[in-house]
Amino acid sequence: AQSVTQLGSHVSVSEGALVLLRCNYSSSVPPYLFWYVQYPNQGLQLLLKYTTGATLVKGINGFEAEFKKSETSFHLTKPSAHMSDAAEYFCAVSNQGGKLIFGQGTELYVKP
Amino acid sequence: DAGVIQSPRHEVTEMGQEVTLRCKPISGHDYLFWYRQTMMRGLELLIYFNNNVPIDDSGMPEDRFSAKMPNASFSTLKIQPSEPRDSAVYFCASTDRTTGGNTIYFGEGSWLTVV
């Protein structure tokens, strides 16, 4: 069985500060890992994904994430937060069969 | 290219009524998913199809929920009878495993309120 744990349901940062959203996963097979973003009253948009190859993956809007197998982690980072980054972020794992299992989400607040 | 298209975007209905949500996946995608999002339970996978065939419906909450995919370009999620606890956002999503790199694309959601 697969599962995802996002540490912190709410994260608050100041504009210009580092963004770090934590995600740990559990999977019995090599996982595919994803981060999605959801803006208010909208659907989910893919930020980035890891399938195979380079463990540091870059996504849209300046976000990146690093797959660390030894730590079963896939934390999302951005060097400098912008007000427009305020949204809910979801980490997800797939067993390569197409089915995505999502974490509970982390609401990111950006203070001016 | 058109994304995943869902209808209706918003629906308010009375308890006991039948609700039908519709989805048109991205052309060429062979997987279709129905997710439900609530504050309490987050994003839950209800059911998914591969080549129009239901593969896993273990997330369907109860017999009041049913889903069909009569062809590659259309799916429905039906709730009959509806209850207030069914109020949620229902997302349809699709992917093409062979060329899509397992990226799942989501529709904008159907916002259901049962009063």
Side-chain angles (χ1 to χ4, degrees):
Chain A
Q2 295 182 302
S3 65
V4 174
T5 302
Q6 291 183 239
L7 300 175
S9 58
H10 299 89
V11 170
S12 181
V13 300
S14 297
E15 192 173 19
L18 171 72
V19 176
L20 171 61
L21 304 182
R22 300 178 186 273
C23 172
N24 287 88
Y25 70 90
S26 171
S27 179
S28 57
V29 299
Y32 287 179
L33 295 159
F34 305 79
W35 276 99
Y36 281 82
V37 60
Q38 185 179 30
Y39 298 102
N41 301 319
Q42 294 187 24
L44 282 80
Q45 179 183 4
L46 180 70
L47 271 180
L48 49 80
K49 67 180 179 183
Y50 167 80
T51 54
T52 58
T55 56
L56 180 64
V57 292
K58 296 185 185 297
I60 61 172
N61 302 338
F63 284 93
E64 62 182 38
E66 186 170 12
F67 169 59
K68 292 187 176 180
K69 184 178 178 181
S70 61
E71 299 177 9
T72 61
S73 69
F74 191 58
H75 301 330
L76 181 71
T77 60
K78 182 174 179 178
S80 177
H82 192 273
M83 296 296 291
S84 61
D85 295 327
E88 188 154 21
Y89 292 80
F90 292 91
C91 182
V93 63
S94 166
N95 63 356
Q96 307 175 27
K99 175 179 167 180
L100 271 182
I101 304 299
F102 284 91
Q104 284 296 100
T106 298
E107 188 82 41
L108 176 66
Y109 300 97
V110 182
K111 298 176 290 186
Chain B
D1 287 342
V4 176
I5 299 172
Q6 293 186 243
S7 65
R9 287 295 315 279
H10 299 272
E11 177 146 350
V12 181
T13 191
E14 292 185 347
M15 181 174 62
Q17 297 298 306
E18 177 179 293
V19 173
T20 300
L21 308 178
R22 298 172 176 80
C23 175
K24 177 179 170 56
I26 293 172
S27 178
H29 282 190
D30 56 350
Y31 279 80
L32 183 140
F33 307 83
W34 282 102
Y35 282 86
R36 178 172 68 175
Q37 185 179 33
T38 60
M39 290 289 290
M40 292 298 294
R41 301 174 68 90
L43 274 160
E44 304 172 277
L45 176 65
L46 299 178
I47 185 171
Y48 76 98
F49 296 83
N50 176 217
N51 292 322
N52 314 337
V53 176
I55 302 300
D56 182 353
D57 65 354
S58 59
M60 296 285 263
E62 49 197 277
D63 291 346
R64 297 185 298 106
F65 285 70
S66 63
K68 294 182 179 179
M69 192 166 186
N71 58 61
S73 59
F74 184 67
S75 177
T76 60
L77 178 67
K78 188 173 293 187
I79 308 171
Q80 167 64 18
S82 58
E83 297 182 4
R85 60 193 168 120
D86 302 330
S87 298
V89 185
Y90 292 81
F91 287 104
C92 179
S94 69
T95 191
D96 171 10
R97 272 191 64 201
T98 53
T99 62
N102 282 275
T103 297
I104 296 181
Y105 297 89
F106 284 77
E108 291 292 299
S110 291
W111 301 70
L112 174 65
T113 302
V114 183
V115 297

